[in-house]
Protein backbone atom coordinates (compact mmCIF):
# COMPACT_ATOMS: atom_id res chain seq x y z
CA UNK A 1 0.00 0.00 0.00
CA UNK A 2 1.52 3.29 -1.06
CA UNK A 3 1.76 6.37 1.12
CA UNK A 4 -1.30 8.64 0.75
CA UNK A 5 -3.82 10.64 2.69
CA UNK A 6 -6.06 8.28 4.61
CA UNK A 7 -9.72 9.18 4.18
CA UNK A 8 -12.21 6.81 5.73
CA UNK A 9 -15.27 8.50 4.29
CA UNK A 10 -18.77 8.92 5.75
CA UNK A 11 -18.66 6.47 8.64
CA UNK A 12 -21.83 4.63 9.58
CA UNK A 13 -21.94 3.00 12.99
CA UNK A 14 -23.54 -0.48 12.88
CA UNK A 15 -24.45 -2.72 15.81
CA UNK A 16 -25.52 -6.34 16.18
CA UNK A 17 -26.66 -8.08 19.34
CA UNK A 18 -28.37 -11.16 20.72
CA UNK A 19 -30.45 -13.15 18.26
CA UNK A 20 -33.54 -12.55 20.42
CA UNK A 21 -32.96 -8.79 20.71
CA UNK A 22 -34.26 -6.00 18.47
CA UNK A 23 -30.82 -5.72 16.90
CA UNK A 24 -30.45 -9.38 16.00
CA UNK A 25 -29.35 -8.43 12.50
CA UNK A 26 -26.71 -5.89 11.57
CA UNK A 27 -28.48 -2.59 12.25
CA UNK A 28 -27.58 1.02 11.59
CA UNK A 29 -27.07 2.93 14.82
CA UNK A 30 -26.28 6.24 13.19
CA UNK A 31 -23.94 8.87 11.83
CA UNK A 32 -21.66 11.10 13.88
CA UNK A 33 -21.09 14.84 13.95
CA UNK A 34 -17.35 14.47 14.50
CA UNK A 35 -14.99 11.64 13.58
CA UNK A 36 -15.39 8.37 15.45
CA UNK A 37 -12.38 7.83 17.70
CA UNK A 38 -10.85 4.36 17.99
CA UNK A 39 -8.27 4.04 20.76
CA UNK A 40 -6.68 0.65 21.45
CA UNK A 41 -5.50 0.32 25.02
CA UNK A 42 -2.46 -1.91 25.15
CA UNK A 43 -1.42 -3.48 28.43
CA UNK A 44 2.30 -3.86 28.70
CA UNK A 45 4.02 -5.04 31.84
CA UNK A 46 7.70 -4.23 32.26
CA UNK A 47 10.02 -6.78 33.80
CA UNK A 48 12.23 -5.23 36.40
CA UNK A 49 15.77 -6.45 36.94
CA UNK A 50 17.88 -4.94 39.67
CA UNK A 51 20.93 -4.92 37.41
CA UNK A 52 19.07 -2.62 35.02
CA UNK A 53 18.05 -0.02 37.54
CA UNK A 54 14.59 1.43 37.02
CA UNK A 55 14.44 0.87 33.26
CA UNK A 56 12.95 -2.43 32.11
CA UNK A 57 15.17 -4.60 29.91
CA UNK A 58 12.14 -6.50 28.68
CA UNK A 59 8.41 -5.99 28.44
CA UNK A 60 5.51 -8.43 28.31
CA UNK A 61 2.36 -7.80 26.31
CA UNK A 62 -0.62 -8.48 28.57
CA UNK A 63 -3.35 -8.19 25.92
CA UNK A 64 -5.48 -5.17 25.15
CA UNK A 65 -8.91 -3.58 24.95
CA UNK A 66 -10.24 -0.90 22.61
CA UNK A 67 -12.12 2.27 23.51
CA UNK A 68 -14.45 3.65 20.84
CA UNK A 69 -16.13 7.04 21.08
CA UNK A 70 -18.92 7.95 18.65
CA UNK A 71 -20.81 11.24 18.93
CA UNK A 72 -24.12 10.37 17.28
CA UNK A 73 -26.00 13.15 15.52
CA UNK A 74 -28.31 11.27 13.16
CA UNK A 75 -29.26 8.06 14.86
CA UNK A 76 -31.97 5.57 15.67
CA UNK A 77 -33.09 6.13 19.26
CA UNK A 78 -34.60 2.65 19.54
CA UNK A 79 -31.35 1.03 18.41
CA UNK A 80 -29.42 3.10 20.97
CA UNK A 81 -31.83 1.94 23.68
CA UNK A 82 -31.31 -1.68 22.63
CA UNK A 83 -27.55 -1.23 23.00
CA UNK A 84 -28.06 0.27 26.45
CA UNK A 85 -30.25 -2.63 27.56
CA UNK A 86 -27.69 -5.19 26.43
CA UNK A 87 -24.82 -3.30 28.05
CA UNK A 88 -26.72 -3.23 31.32
CA UNK A 89 -26.80 -7.02 31.47
CA UNK A 90 -29.46 -7.84 28.91
CA UNK A 91 -32.37 -6.37 30.86
CA UNK A 92 -35.90 -6.36 29.48
CA UNK A 93 -36.57 -2.64 29.64
CA UNK A 94 -34.50 0.49 29.20
CA UNK A 95 -33.34 1.87 32.52
CA UNK A 96 -33.99 -1.41 34.35
CA UNK A 97 -31.25 -3.04 36.42
CA UNK A 98 -30.32 -6.72 36.61
CA UNK A 99 -28.87 -8.56 39.61
CA UNK A 100 -25.59 -6.90 40.62
CA UNK A 101 -22.71 -8.82 39.19
CA UNK A 102 -24.54 -10.06 36.10
CA UNK A 103 -22.10 -11.20 33.45
CA UNK A 104 -22.30 -10.01 29.87
CA UNK A 105 -20.86 -13.14 28.26
CA UNK A 106 -22.24 -15.91 30.49
CA UNK A 107 -19.81 -18.30 28.85
CA UNK A 108 -22.02 -18.39 25.73
CA UNK A 109 -21.06 -17.76 22.12
CA UNK A 110 -21.59 -14.25 20.76
CA UNK A 111 -25.25 -13.40 20.01
CA UNK A 112 -26.53 -16.36 22.04
CA UNK A 113 -30.13 -15.64 23.07
CA UNK A 114 -31.45 -15.66 26.57
CA UNK A 115 -32.25 -13.63 29.65
CA UNK A 116 -29.79 -11.74 31.84
CA UNK A 117 -28.21 -14.81 33.37
CA UNK A 118 -28.30 -16.92 30.23
CA UNK A 119 -27.66 -14.94 27.06
CA UNK A 120 -24.57 -13.30 25.65
CA UNK A 121 -25.15 -9.54 25.82
CA UNK A 122 -22.05 -8.29 24.06
CA UNK A 123 -22.69 -6.03 21.07
CA UNK A 124 -20.71 -6.29 17.88
CA UNK A 125 -19.80 -2.78 16.78
CA UNK A 126 -18.89 -2.07 13.16
CA UNK A 127 -17.68 1.09 11.43
CA UNK A 128 -18.00 1.39 7.66
CA UNK A 129 -15.08 2.53 5.51
CA UNK A 130 -16.67 3.51 2.20
CA UNK A 131 -13.71 5.48 0.84
CA UNK A 132 -10.80 3.73 2.54
CA UNK A 133 -12.20 0.26 1.97
CA UNK A 134 -11.03 -0.61 5.45
CA UNK A 135 -14.05 -1.09 7.72
CA UNK A 136 -13.68 -1.95 11.36
CA UNK A 137 -15.39 -4.76 13.23
CA UNK A 138 -15.16 -4.97 17.03
CA UNK A 139 -16.44 -8.33 18.18
CA UNK A 140 -17.38 -8.02 21.85
CA UNK A 141 -18.33 -4.52 22.93
CA UNK A 142 -20.41 -2.87 25.59
CA UNK A 143 -21.25 0.71 26.45
CA UNK A 144 -18.85 1.43 29.23
CA UNK A 145 -18.58 3.46 32.44
CA UNK A 146 -20.17 6.65 31.12
CA UNK A 147 -22.08 5.01 28.27
CA UNK A 148 -23.48 8.20 26.84
CA UNK A 149 -23.58 11.93 27.30
CA UNK A 150 -27.07 12.95 26.18
CA UNK A 151 -27.76 16.70 25.93
CA UNK A 152 -31.46 17.60 25.88
CA UNK A 153 -32.74 20.90 24.55
CA UNK A 154 -34.04 22.75 21.54
CA UNK A 155 -30.88 22.02 19.62
CA UNK A 156 -30.39 18.65 17.97
CA UNK A 157 -28.77 16.28 20.45
CA UNK A 158 -25.28 15.07 19.72
CA UNK A 159 -25.05 12.00 21.94
CA UNK A 160 -21.52 11.00 22.81
CA UNK A 161 -21.42 7.22 23.24
CA UNK A 162 -18.48 5.41 24.77
CA UNK A 163 -17.76 1.76 24.05
CA UNK A 164 -15.21 -0.76 25.24
CA UNK A 165 -14.21 -3.81 23.24
CA UNK A 166 -12.70 -6.72 25.19
CA UNK A 167 -11.08 -10.02 24.12
CA UNK A 168 -14.01 -12.22 25.08
CA UNK A 169 -13.67 -15.98 24.81
CA UNK A 170 -15.55 -18.88 26.35
CA UNK A 171 -12.50 -21.07 26.87
CA UNK A 172 -9.83 -19.22 28.81
CA UNK A 173 -7.25 -21.99 28.68
CA UNK A 174 -7.59 -23.23 25.07
CA UNK A 175 -5.24 -26.15 25.59
CA UNK A 176 -2.62 -23.90 27.11
CA UNK A 177 -2.63 -21.32 24.31
CA UNK A 178 -4.94 -18.93 26.16
CA UNK A 179 -5.81 -15.93 24.00
CA UNK A 180 -3.49 -16.91 21.15
CA UNK A 181 -5.01 -16.02 17.73
CA UNK A 182 -8.14 -14.49 19.32
CA UNK A 183 -9.33 -11.42 17.41
CA UNK A 184 -10.02 -8.21 19.29
CA UNK A 185 -11.00 -6.51 16.05
CA UNK A 186 -10.59 -7.03 12.35
CA UNK A 187 -11.29 -5.16 9.12
CA UNK A 188 -13.82 -7.58 7.75
CA UNK A 189 -17.13 -6.56 6.29
CA UNK A 190 -19.78 -6.84 8.98
CA UNK A 191 -22.79 -9.04 8.30
CA UNK B 1 20.18 -24.17 29.45
CA UNK B 2 21.05 -20.50 29.18
CA UNK B 3 20.00 -17.88 31.67
CA UNK B 4 16.72 -16.17 30.68
CA UNK B 5 13.45 -14.88 32.05
CA UNK B 6 11.35 -17.88 33.10
CA UNK B 7 7.78 -17.39 31.87
CA UNK B 8 5.40 -20.24 32.60
CA UNK B 9 2.43 -19.11 30.53
CA UNK B 10 -1.25 -19.99 31.08
CA UNK B 11 -1.35 -22.67 33.76
CA UNK B 12 -4.25 -25.03 34.35
CA UNK B 13 -4.63 -26.76 37.73
CA UNK B 14 -5.78 -30.38 37.33
CA UNK B 15 -6.27 -33.04 39.96
CA UNK B 16 -6.71 -36.77 40.15
CA UNK B 17 -7.90 -38.80 43.13
CA UNK B 18 -8.43 -42.37 44.23
CA UNK B 19 -10.59 -45.11 42.78
CA UNK B 20 -13.11 -44.61 45.61
CA UNK B 21 -14.71 -41.87 43.50
CA UNK B 22 -17.51 -42.69 41.08
CA UNK B 23 -16.71 -42.68 37.37
CA UNK B 24 -15.55 -39.19 36.49
CA UNK B 25 -15.10 -36.83 39.45
CA UNK B 26 -11.44 -37.18 40.28
CA UNK B 27 -11.26 -40.84 39.25
CA UNK B 28 -9.68 -39.44 36.08
CA UNK B 29 -7.57 -36.33 35.62
CA UNK B 30 -10.04 -33.47 36.17
CA UNK B 31 -9.65 -29.78 35.54
CA UNK B 32 -9.82 -27.81 38.78
CA UNK B 33 -9.38 -24.36 37.29
CA UNK B 34 -7.42 -21.26 36.40
CA UNK B 35 -5.94 -18.80 38.86
CA UNK B 36 -6.28 -15.10 39.33
CA UNK B 37 -2.58 -14.66 40.05
CA UNK B 38 0.62 -16.62 39.82
CA UNK B 39 0.69 -19.98 41.60
CA UNK B 40 3.22 -20.07 44.42
CA UNK B 41 5.29 -23.20 44.97
CA UNK B 42 7.33 -23.29 48.17
CA UNK B 43 9.81 -26.10 48.71
CA UNK B 44 10.59 -26.72 52.37
CA UNK B 45 13.64 -28.58 53.49
CA UNK B 46 13.83 -29.82 57.06
CA UNK B 47 17.30 -29.35 58.44
CA UNK B 48 18.44 -30.21 61.92
CA UNK B 49 21.64 -28.86 63.35
CA UNK B 50 24.08 -31.28 64.92
CA UNK B 51 26.33 -29.98 67.62
CA UNK B 52 29.16 -31.41 69.63
CA UNK B 53 30.16 -30.45 73.11
CA UNK B 54 33.80 -30.30 72.02
CA UNK B 55 33.12 -27.28 69.84
CA UNK B 56 31.18 -25.43 72.42
CA UNK B 57 27.51 -24.82 72.90
CA UNK B 58 25.39 -23.52 70.04
CA UNK B 59 27.94 -24.38 67.36
CA UNK B 60 26.77 -26.43 64.41
CA UNK B 61 29.30 -28.97 63.21
CA UNK B 62 27.07 -30.62 60.68
CA UNK B 63 23.53 -30.49 59.40
CA UNK B 64 21.12 -33.34 59.00
CA UNK B 65 18.60 -33.20 56.18
CA UNK B 66 15.29 -34.71 57.10
CA UNK B 67 13.40 -34.84 53.84
CA UNK B 68 11.43 -32.20 52.01
CA UNK B 69 7.86 -31.16 51.39
CA UNK B 70 6.11 -28.53 49.29
CA UNK B 71 3.37 -25.96 49.80
CA UNK B 72 1.43 -24.83 46.76
CA UNK B 73 -0.74 -21.71 47.11
CA UNK B 74 -3.22 -20.54 44.51
CA UNK B 75 -6.21 -18.24 44.07
CA UNK B 76 -8.76 -19.93 41.83
CA UNK B 77 -11.01 -17.60 39.82
CA UNK B 78 -12.33 -19.84 37.01
CA UNK B 79 -12.92 -23.24 38.51
CA UNK B 80 -15.13 -26.32 38.72
CA UNK B 81 -16.80 -26.23 42.15
CA UNK B 82 -17.62 -29.95 42.07
CA UNK B 83 -14.01 -30.94 41.48
CA UNK B 84 -12.99 -28.61 44.31
CA UNK B 85 -15.61 -30.19 46.54
CA UNK B 86 -14.12 -33.63 45.86
CA UNK B 87 -10.64 -32.37 46.75
CA UNK B 88 -11.96 -30.97 50.03
CA UNK B 89 -13.58 -34.28 50.87
CA UNK B 90 -10.41 -36.24 50.18
CA UNK B 91 -8.37 -33.82 52.26
CA UNK B 92 -10.74 -34.43 55.15
CA UNK B 93 -9.87 -38.12 55.03
CA UNK B 94 -12.72 -39.09 52.77
CA UNK B 95 -15.59 -37.16 54.32
CA UNK B 96 -18.97 -38.48 53.27
CA UNK B 97 -20.75 -36.06 50.97
CA UNK B 98 -24.35 -35.31 51.73
CA UNK B 99 -26.68 -33.70 49.22
CA UNK B 100 -30.14 -32.99 50.63
CA UNK B 101 -31.57 -33.19 47.10
CA UNK B 102 -30.65 -36.83 46.76
CA UNK B 103 -32.84 -39.67 47.91
CA UNK B 104 -29.88 -41.89 48.82
CA UNK B 105 -26.78 -39.83 49.53
CA UNK B 106 -23.94 -39.80 48.82
CA UNK B 107 -23.95 -39.69 45.06
CA UNK B 108 -23.39 -37.34 42.19
CA UNK B 109 -26.16 -38.17 39.76
CA UNK B 110 -28.40 -35.24 40.68
CA UNK B 111 -25.81 -32.70 41.71
CA UNK B 112 -25.95 -29.38 39.94
CA UNK B 113 -22.80 -27.94 38.48
CA UNK B 114 -23.13 -24.93 40.71
CA UNK B 115 -23.18 -26.91 43.94
CA UNK B 116 -20.21 -26.10 46.09
CA UNK B 117 -19.47 -27.26 49.60
CA UNK B 118 -21.93 -30.07 49.69
CA UNK B 119 -22.69 -30.96 53.25
CA UNK B 120 -20.17 -33.26 54.77
CA UNK B 121 -19.85 -35.68 57.61
CA UNK B 122 -16.24 -35.48 58.70
CA UNK B 123 -14.66 -38.82 59.51
CA UNK B 124 -13.70 -39.64 63.10
CA UNK B 125 -10.46 -38.22 64.45
CA UNK B 126 -7.20 -39.95 63.72
CA UNK B 127 -8.00 -41.02 60.20
CA UNK B 128 -5.09 -41.45 57.81
CA UNK B 129 -4.96 -40.09 54.31
CA UNK B 130 -2.80 -42.82 52.81
CA UNK B 131 -3.93 -45.86 54.80
CA UNK B 132 -0.87 -47.77 53.64
CA UNK B 133 -2.29 -47.95 50.13
CA UNK B 134 -0.62 -47.21 46.80
CA UNK B 135 -1.35 -44.07 44.83
CA UNK B 136 -4.94 -43.77 43.51
CA UNK B 137 -6.04 -46.90 45.33
CA UNK B 138 -9.54 -46.79 46.77
CA UNK B 139 -9.09 -45.43 50.27
CA UNK B 140 -5.89 -43.48 49.53
CA UNK B 141 -7.10 -39.89 49.87
CA UNK B 142 -4.04 -38.09 48.63
CA UNK B 143 -4.72 -36.04 45.51
CA UNK B 144 -2.40 -35.88 42.51
CA UNK B 145 -1.92 -32.16 41.92
CA UNK B 146 -0.95 -31.18 38.36
CA UNK B 147 0.00 -27.75 37.05
CA UNK B 148 -0.43 -28.08 33.29
CA UNK B 149 0.70 -25.77 30.58
CA UNK B 150 1.08 -25.78 26.80
CA UNK B 151 3.87 -27.92 25.37
CA UNK B 152 5.60 -25.03 23.71
CA UNK B 153 6.04 -22.93 26.81
CA UNK B 154 9.46 -22.71 28.42
CA UNK B 155 8.41 -24.03 31.81
CA UNK B 156 7.59 -27.70 32.18
CA UNK B 157 4.45 -28.91 33.96
CA UNK B 158 4.54 -29.84 37.63
CA UNK B 159 3.07 -32.96 39.19
CA UNK B 160 2.89 -33.37 42.94
CA UNK B 161 2.20 -37.02 43.71
CA UNK B 162 0.69 -36.81 47.18
CA UNK B 163 -1.06 -33.55 47.97
CA UNK B 164 -3.90 -32.45 50.22
CA UNK B 165 -5.54 -29.19 51.24
CA UNK B 166 -3.94 -28.21 54.50
CA UNK B 167 -4.89 -26.42 57.70
CA UNK B 168 -7.16 -23.60 56.60
CA UNK B 169 -7.40 -25.15 53.16
CA UNK B 170 -9.65 -22.61 51.53
CA UNK B 171 -10.86 -19.10 51.91
CA UNK B 172 -13.97 -18.61 49.89
CA UNK B 173 -15.42 -15.12 49.59
CA UNK B 174 -19.02 -14.99 48.45
CA UNK B 175 -20.59 -11.90 46.93
CA UNK B 176 -21.68 -10.32 43.66
CA UNK B 177 -18.15 -10.33 42.29
CA UNK B 178 -16.66 -13.46 40.77
CA UNK B 179 -15.63 -15.63 43.71
CA UNK B 180 -11.97 -16.20 44.32
CA UNK B 181 -11.07 -19.30 46.32
CA UNK B 182 -7.70 -19.27 48.03
CA UNK B 183 -6.26 -22.76 48.32
CA UNK B 184 -3.20 -23.99 50.15
CA UNK B 185 -1.96 -27.46 49.24
CA UNK B 186 0.68 -29.49 51.03
CA UNK B 187 2.60 -32.10 49.06
CA UNK B 188 4.55 -34.69 51.02
CA UNK B 189 6.61 -37.71 50.17
CA UNK B 190 4.11 -40.28 51.35
CA UNK B 191 5.70 -43.59 52.28
CA UNK B 192 3.13 -46.25 53.09
CA UNK B 193 3.84 -48.58 56.00
CA UNK B 194 3.04 -52.09 54.97
CA UNK B 195 0.38 -53.99 56.75
CA UNK B 196 2.21 -57.28 56.38
CA UNK B 197 1.04 -60.25 58.47
CA UNK B 198 2.84 -60.91 61.77
CA UNK B 199 5.46 -62.13 62.53
CA UNK B 200 7.44 -59.87 60.25
CA UNK B 201 10.75 -60.82 58.75
CA UNK B 202 12.95 -57.86 59.55
CA UNK B 203 16.05 -59.25 57.87
CA UNK B 204 17.65 -57.33 55.07
CA UNK B 205 17.33 -60.40 52.88
CA UNK B 206 13.61 -59.74 52.76
CA UNK B 207 14.10 -56.19 51.64
CA UNK B 208 12.89 -55.05 48.22
CA UNK B 209 10.29 -57.76 47.97
CA UNK B 210 6.56 -57.37 47.90
CA UNK B 211 6.24 -58.23 51.57
CA UNK B 212 9.11 -56.11 52.77
CA UNK B 213 8.32 -53.79 55.65
CA UNK B 214 9.18 -50.14 55.52
CA UNK B 215 11.80 -50.59 58.24
CA UNK B 216 14.24 -53.35 59.12
CA UNK B 217 16.40 -53.82 62.16
CA UNK B 218 20.10 -53.53 61.71
CA UNK B 219 22.75 -54.54 64.17
CA UNK B 220 25.49 -52.01 64.71
CA UNK B 221 28.55 -52.55 66.84
CA UNK B 222 30.44 -49.71 68.45
CA UNK B 223 33.87 -50.26 69.94
CA UNK B 224 34.41 -48.94 73.44
CA UNK B 225 37.73 -47.73 74.91
CA UNK B 226 38.23 -51.00 76.80
CA UNK B 227 38.13 -52.92 73.47
CA UNK B 228 34.80 -54.41 74.15
CA UNK B 229 31.84 -53.85 71.95
CA UNK B 230 28.37 -52.66 72.58
CA UNK B 231 25.79 -53.83 70.14
CA UNK B 232 22.89 -51.62 69.34
CA UNK B 233 19.80 -52.30 67.39
CA UNK B 234 18.99 -49.60 64.94
CA UNK B 235 16.17 -49.14 62.49
CA UNK B 236 17.12 -48.83 58.86
CA UNK B 237 14.61 -47.60 56.34
CA UNK B 238 13.90 -49.84 53.39
CA UNK B 239 11.79 -48.77 50.42
CA UNK B 240 10.82 -50.59 47.27
CA UNK B 241 10.74 -49.00 43.87
CA UNK B 242 6.97 -49.18 43.47
CA UNK B 243 6.43 -46.89 46.44
CA UNK B 244 9.54 -44.78 46.04
CA UNK B 245 7.93 -41.90 44.22
CA UNK B 246 9.49 -38.45 44.22
CA UNK B 247 7.96 -35.40 45.83
CA UNK B 248 7.25 -33.96 42.41
CA UNK B 249 8.22 -34.37 38.79
CA UNK B 250 7.64 -32.47 35.57
CA UNK B 251 5.07 -34.62 33.82
CA UNK B 252 1.29 -34.88 34.06
CA UNK B 253 -1.04 -37.56 35.35
CA UNK B 254 -3.20 -39.33 32.81
CA UNK B 255 -6.47 -41.25 32.99
CA UNK B 256 -5.00 -44.73 32.87
CA UNK B 257 -6.02 -47.28 35.50
CA UNK B 258 -2.99 -47.79 37.71
CA UNK B 259 -4.05 -51.29 38.75
Amino acid sequence: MARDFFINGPTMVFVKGRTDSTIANLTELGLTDVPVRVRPQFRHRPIKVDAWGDAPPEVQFMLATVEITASLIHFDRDVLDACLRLSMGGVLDTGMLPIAGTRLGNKKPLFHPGSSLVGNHFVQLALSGPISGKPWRFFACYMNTIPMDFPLGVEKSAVVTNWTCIPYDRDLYNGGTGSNALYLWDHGTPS
Amino acid sequence: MARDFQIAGPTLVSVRGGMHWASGYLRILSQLGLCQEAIKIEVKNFHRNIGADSTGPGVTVDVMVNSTECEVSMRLIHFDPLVLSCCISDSMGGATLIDPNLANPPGFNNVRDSDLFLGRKPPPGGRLLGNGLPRFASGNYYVGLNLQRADDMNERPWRFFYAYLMQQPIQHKIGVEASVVELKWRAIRYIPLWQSPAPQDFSEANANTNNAPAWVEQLKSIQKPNDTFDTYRMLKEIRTDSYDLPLWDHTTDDDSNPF
Side-chain angles (χ1 to χ4, degrees):
Chain A
M1 183 180 248
R3 175 170 49 87
D4 197 356
F5 296 107
F6 185 84
I7 299 169
N8 196 57
T11 305
M12 176 63 73
V13 181
F14 294 90
V15 290
K16 183 178 175 182
R18 266 183 6 227
T19 54
D20 59 347
S21 69
T22 55
I23 54 172
N25 301 312
L26 193 70
T27 309
E28 290 181 359
L29 175 54
L31 297 166
T32 59
D33 62 338
V34 293
V36 178
R37 306 202 79 88
V38 175
R39 289 170 299 167
Q41 313 266 313
F42 285 170
R43 268 91 161 141
H44 286 98
R45 189 174 298 176
I47 299 178
K48 188 180 181 307
V49 178
D50 183 68
W52 235 247
D54 288 337
E58 173 69 289
V59 163
Q60 288 183 280
F61 179 62
M62 296 299 193
L63 304 189
T65 57
V66 187
E67 302 291 319
I68 304 116
T69 302
S71 178
L72 300 170
I73 191 71
H74 195 264
F75 60 96
D76 188 326
R77 183 66 196 275
D78 289 336
V79 174
L80 180 61
D81 281 349
C83 295
L84 276 172
R85 288 195 298 271
L86 289 173
S87 300
M88 290 174 74
V91 291
L92 293 173
D93 204 358
T94 310
M96 183 187 284
L97 291 173
I99 301 172
T102 296
R103 295 162 65 167
L104 292 188
N106 284 312
K107 217 179 172 185
K108 298 292 197 310
L110 290 175
F111 316 130
H112 191 276
S115 60
S116 282
L117 300 178
V118 175
N120 183 310
H121 313 301
F122 284 111
V123 175
Q124 184 177 109
L125 186 77
L127 306 174
S128 67
I131 304 298
S132 67
K134 213 172 174 67
W136 293 71
R137 185 168 53 170
F138 302 94
F139 292 97
C141 302
Y142 61 95
M143 300 181 79
N144 66 21
T145 316
I146 300 178
M148 62 181 184
D149 188 328
F150 208 138
L152 298 168
V154 296
E155 277 255 29
K156 60 200 175 300
S157 296
V159 181
V160 179
T161 59
N162 296 300
W163 302 79
T164 296
C165 175
I166 68 161
Y168 171 74
D169 199 3
R170 299 164 63 198
D171 184 351
L172 303 182
Y173 184 62
N174 279 312
T177 59
S179 58
N180 188 38
L182 179 69
Y183 277 93
L184 189 56
W185 77 83
D186 71 2
H187 295 289
T189 304
S191 60
Chain B
M1 183 181 259
R3 173 174 48 90
D4 197 358
F5 295 110
Q6 303 303 315
I7 297 170
T11 302
L12 177 69
V13 182
S14 299
V15 289
R16 184 176 170 181
M19 306 297 274
H20 46 271
W21 288 106
S23 58
Y25 300 117
L26 245 60
R27 193 182 178 97
I28 57 174
L29 188 67
S30 305
Q31 293 186 6
L32 179 54
L34 299 166
C35 297
Q36 189 183 45
E37 315 174 332
I39 298 170
K40 188 163 76 167
I41 300 171
E42 293 178 82
V43 179
K44 295 187 170 184
N45 289 324
F46 291 92
H47 291 99
R48 181 68 65 91
N49 296 333
I50 300 174
D53 184 69
S54 57
T55 55
V59 177
T60 299
V61 299
D62 204 344
V63 174
M64 181 184 289
V65 180
N66 289 320
S67 198
T68 303
E69 63 181 46
C70 287
E71 278 187 23
V72 183
S73 305
M74 57 186 66
R75 290 167 57 93
L76 291 177
I77 182 76
H78 195 263
F79 59 95
D80 187 333
L82 205 48
V83 173
L84 178 59
S85 198
C86 296
C87 294
I88 295 169
S89 281
D90 267 355
S91 299
M92 291 171 74
T96 305
L97 292 172
I98 300 173
D99 183 349
N101 296 322
L102 295 177
N104 299 301
F108 288 99
N109 293 331
N110 298 326
V111 171
R112 295 166 299 172
D113 283 345
S114 60
D115 280 337
L116 180 61
F117 302 139
L118 298 175
R120 283 173 178 73
K121 279 172 43 177
R127 192 148 167 163
L128 298 175
L129 290 185
N131 292 302
L133 297 166
R135 192 172 189 240
F136 300 148
S138 177
N140 182 321
Y141 299 108
Y142 286 106
V143 173
L145 179 65
N146 294 261
L147 307 180
Q148 292 178 270
R149 54 185 59 92
D151 289 338
D152 59 352
M153 300 305 296
N154 286 336
E155 273 265 339
R156 297 167 294 171
W158 289 69
R159 174 173 61 164
F160 298 92
F161 287 84
Y162 299 104
Y164 66 95
L165 292 167
M166 60 179 280
Q167 293 174 334
Q168 291 178 333
I170 59 170
Q171 281 193 47
H172 186 222
K173 296 175 185 172
I174 304 173
V176 296
E177 280 207 42
S179 293
V180 177
V181 181
E182 297 184 37
L183 298 184
K184 188 168 264 191
W185 297 85
R186 183 181 181 219
I188 67 166
R189 191 161 178 243
Y190 163 67
I191 302 167
L193 302 176
W194 262 274
Q195 298 167 0
S196 53
Q200 292 182 339
D201 182 355
F202 285 100
S203 67
E204 286 200 41
N206 195 36
N208 294 324
T209 66
N210 286 334
N211 291 323
W215 302 89
V216 294
E217 283 189 332
Q218 183 183 46
L219 297 178
K220 187 173 178 62
S221 296
I222 296 181
Q223 187 174 13
K224 297 196 299 185
N226 59 2
D227 288 339
T228 60
F229 288 86
D230 276 342
T231 301
Y232 298 88
R233 288 186 178 276
M234 298 176 64
L235 289 177
K236 178 182 173 182
E237 185 180 343
I238 298 291
R239 296 189 185 91
T240 64
D241 290 342
S242 63
Y243 284 77
D244 193 11
L245 292 173
L247 186 55
W248 76 80
D249 69 3
H250 292 289
T251 58
T252 306
D253 281 323
D254 55 24
D255 296 336
S256 61
N257 189 332
F259 304 105

